[in-house]
Amino acid sequence: MRAHGWGGAPPVDRDEARERILSVARGRLDETGAASISDVAERVGVTRQTVYRYFPTTEDLLNAAALDAVSDLVDSMVEHVRTHVSQESGDAGDAAVEVVAYVYEHLRDDPALQRLVAPGRLGSTVAELTSPASIALGGELLGRLGIDWSGEALGERGRPELVEHLLRTLQSFLLDPGTPERSAGELRAYLQRWLAPTLRR
């Protein structure tokens, strides 16, 4: 990395450079709801050409910011479930309810994530929710929640089907929140009534 630019503190490698650019882009999205290459470059302390080396277009930059926000959402969801649904006070049914409710409630809070559910993009986003890659990732996430899934009658086939069911439930709420849209309490009550019992048999 050249020593000039970057506010006098150049990144050590490409990964750090990308992270710093994405951090500024997400900050601008939080502040103004928009992020342009020129604006981000100015705030990072580099030229537009430097940003273009990592993100050839504004679309690439915004897509990367959205994926970065998804990673943060997943981490915060895992922490939330582990905190609020412990092995002592909760079960797999409670965990499933919180997974769906938490992601649904927070998906539209982050301006970077709003890009995924904006008109014109929502269809492709929800279609990708149930892709094999998403289901595989969801299976890995179940293992991070602090729940003893082995005691919930979930065999080798059952766990990926549970992930698919959770994703399809989230998918349906994103496509049609309902009229009027349920409050946080109403959403959880609905999920406790119709989703949680399948994991308590």
Side-chain angles (χ1 to χ4, degrees):
M1 297 288 180
R2 294 185 177 180
H4 72 278
W6 301 98
V12 297
D13 55 28
R14 288 186 62 85
D15 288 342
E16 183 183 339
R18 282 178 56 88
E19 288 174 6
R20 287 167 65 174
I21 293 170
L22 284 175
S23 177
V24 170
R26 289 186 60 186
R28 293 303 291 157
L29 286 169
D30 287 340
E31 294 167 11
T32 68
S36 68
I37 294 286
S38 58
D39 188 21
V40 169
E42 179 180 355
R43 290 173 181 274
V44 174
V46 297
T47 65
R48 286 180 299 170
Q49 287 70 27
T50 297
V51 177
Y52 285 135
R53 291 194 197 112
Y54 302 96
F55 305 100
T57 67
T58 300
E59 184 83 358
D60 292 326
L61 176 61
L62 295 178
N63 286 341
L67 290 176
D68 194 53
V70 167
S71 178
D72 286 349
L73 175 61
V74 167
D75 288 341
S76 65
M77 179 272 291
V78 169
E79 181 179 357
H80 171 79
V81 173
R82 290 184 63 88
T83 300
H84 292 82
V85 188
S86 68
Q87 290 180 331
E88 291 77 24
S89 63
D91 60 9
D94 294 328
V97 167
E98 283 304 315
V99 166
V100 174
Y102 187 89
V103 173
Y104 175 67
E105 291 168 349
H106 289 79
L107 190 58
R108 292 170 293 180
D109 289 348
D110 190 314
L113 289 172
Q114 289 174 8
R115 177 177 178 77
L116 299 177
V117 294
R121 296 183 63 93
L122 180 58
S124 60
T125 297
V126 296
E128 292 171 2
L129 272 178
T130 54
S131 69
S134 294
I135 292 174
L137 176 60
E140 294 176 9
L141 292 177
L142 289 186
R144 297 172 55 189
L145 298 181
I147 298 295
D148 181 14
W149 298 101
S150 63
E152 305 297 337
L154 291 178
E156 182 176 345
R157 181 179 178 183
R159 187 175 296 197
E161 286 187 348
L162 170 61
V163 172
E164 180 183 355
H165 184 57
L166 297 180
L167 290 172
R168 289 191 183 281
T169 302
L170 175 62
Q171 190 181 57
S172 68
F173 278 110
L174 290 172
L175 286 171
D176 182 10
T179 306
E181 186 173 350
R182 289 179 173 87
S183 67
E186 291 169 339
L187 175 61
R188 283 168 172 77
Y190 175 89
L191 294 171
Q192 282 287 352
R193 189 157 46 246
W194 299 108
L195 172 62
T198 64
L199 292 167
R200 293 179 180 141
R201 292 174 181 172

